Amino acid sequence: MKRWLNLGAVTAVFIAFSLIVVKNAPGNVGQTLVNVSYDPTRELYASLNPLFAASYEKETGHRLAIVQSHGGSSRQAHRVISGEQGADVVTLGMFSDVDALRKRGLIAANWADRLPNHSMPYTSTIVFVVRKGNPLHISDWPDLLAPGLEVVTPDPRTSGNGKLAALAAWAATTSRGGTDGAASAYLTALYQHVKVLDEGARGAATTFAVQEIGDVHLTWENEALREVDASKGRLQIVYPPVSILAEPYVAWVDREVARDGNLAAAKAYLNFLFSDSAQETIARLGYRPSKGGAAFPPITLVPVTSIARSWEDANEKFFAENGIIDTIMGGRPR
């Protein structure tokens, strides 16, 4: 699961907008497909896109260029909605980020039912990354409130990673008998330990691993594996006993593919994510594949329905204007 690029190569893919082209002859590329994704999936799609493009050309005879855009999941959704970023498909970190496009009429009402596994090619969770040897003996969520300890996590107002870290902290409290009041008090105290709020997951990884700011980094499991492997022994992962079940979703953008004629390619691309070869790559890069079969360390993953009625309800409860996060953050700048 730790077949990662070296640190220099990882730095090279920090660029937020990359182009992957698969073709047989110079200047002979047919369609272009734009995939707007969330922050840590650069390496994933760098591996998946050439596999799909080769398969698609073999089956259809059409050459395909796949353009990637990466950033904080919620910020990416807003960019697509505003028209700042075109997208044939979105592969975002949370249901609410994809569903925001449905609310603006960009994707169909039944979007989640159009692909296998309710449009989730994999799941994930939030874990801790600490310095080598775990000098502060961090093992569980309460440990993050130790005096003087500094936490690194992305901004929950722009980042899927940030949102999921907040939900994980809340769920770790309520799933073990704590009240909503206790969870709110814990989350308020936790953000007092966060000195830097990066826009997305990869920015937070740079803050923690490269700039060496903070004592613990709250991040996606796959990002933690990449970060630790690239650190060459300077960092390690801690799996808390309890965390959130993260459910990234994918969809084609109906309005965009209707305009540019990419519907067939977009459908094929997203269906490919559920194929055996794609699922193997997904597992190898530290994501929990929808077909199962991959071994990951034991951890209790709490579904969002344990703290809200649905992902949409969780978004309103926690992240809407005057929601829990808005109240906790107060006037803290983005």
Side-chain angles (χ1 to χ4, degrees), residues 66-318:
I66 303 171
V67 176
Q68 287 295 136
S69 173
H70 297 276
S73 186
S74 298
R75 178 61 58 84
Q76 290 287 78
H78 290 315
R79 293 180 69 225
V80 174
I81 290 169
S82 70
E84 178 185 351
Q85 172 65 64
D88 294 297
V89 302
V90 290
T91 56
L92 298 175
M94 297 178 66
F95 175 90
S96 54
D97 291 333
V98 179
D99 202 52
L101 277 68
R102 189 266 309 166
K103 293 178 179 179
R104 298 300 185 94
L106 300 179
I107 61 176
N110 66 333
W111 67 267
D113 298 320
R114 301 187 299 190
L115 291 164
N117 199 43
H118 202 55
S119 294
M120 282 184 291
Y122 56 83
T123 59
S124 190
T125 191
I126 298 296
V127 299
F128 305 162
V129 181
V130 299
R131 306 295 172 189
K132 181 180 179 180
N134 194 8
L136 298 182
H137 308 291
I138 297 165
S139 63
D140 201 354
W141 294 92
D143 299 334
L144 304 183
L145 303 188
L149 185 146
E150 291 190 7
V151 176
V152 174
T153 184
D155 195 327
R157 296 164 293 187
T158 58
S159 165
N161 181 164
K163 285 179 165 65
L164 288 162
L167 294 178
W170 188 280
T173 302
T174 59
S175 68
R176 295 187 284 190
T179 64
D180 279 3
S184 180
Y186 174 82
L187 204 54
T188 300
L190 177 65
Y191 281 113
Q192 292 171 357
H193 288 259
V194 178
K195 306 304 180 185
V196 179
L197 283 171
D198 290 288
E199 181 180 306
R202 191 53 61 88
T206 301
T207 294
F208 184 75
V210 179
Q211 298 177 5
E212 298 187 342
I213 294 172
D215 303 299
V216 57
H217 179 203
L218 311 184
T219 189
W220 293 95
E221 182 178 30
N222 60 281
E223 184 73 350
L225 290 165
R226 181 207 62 80
E227 191 175 342
V228 168
D229 194 65
S231 77
K232 299 181 179 180
R234 294 182 296 106
L235 303 174
Q236 68 186 67
I237 298 175
V238 171
Y239 278 82
V242 177
S243 194
I244 196 74
L245 175 62
E247 297 176 311
Y249 286 80
V250 302
W252 63 82
V253 183
D254 295 79
R255 181 179 294 182
E256 190 84 8
V257 296
R259 181 168 57 242
D260 62 21
N262 274 350
L263 178 59
K267 283 184 177 181
Y269 180 63
L270 295 183
N271 274 291
F272 171 76
L273 300 180
F274 299 90
S275 69
D276 290 344
S277 62
Q279 290 284 295
E280 289 171 4
T281 300
I282 284 167
R284 176 171 60 83
L285 293 180
Y287 303 79
R288 299 179 179 229
S290 63
K291 291 186 177 180
F296 287 83
I299 182 173
T300 299
L301 299 181
V302 181
V304 73
T305 49
S306 73
I307 57 176
R309 292 188 300 273
S310 63
W311 277 108
E312 183 173 7
D313 181 52
N315 191 57
E316 289 298 315
K317 176 179 177 180
F318 288 92

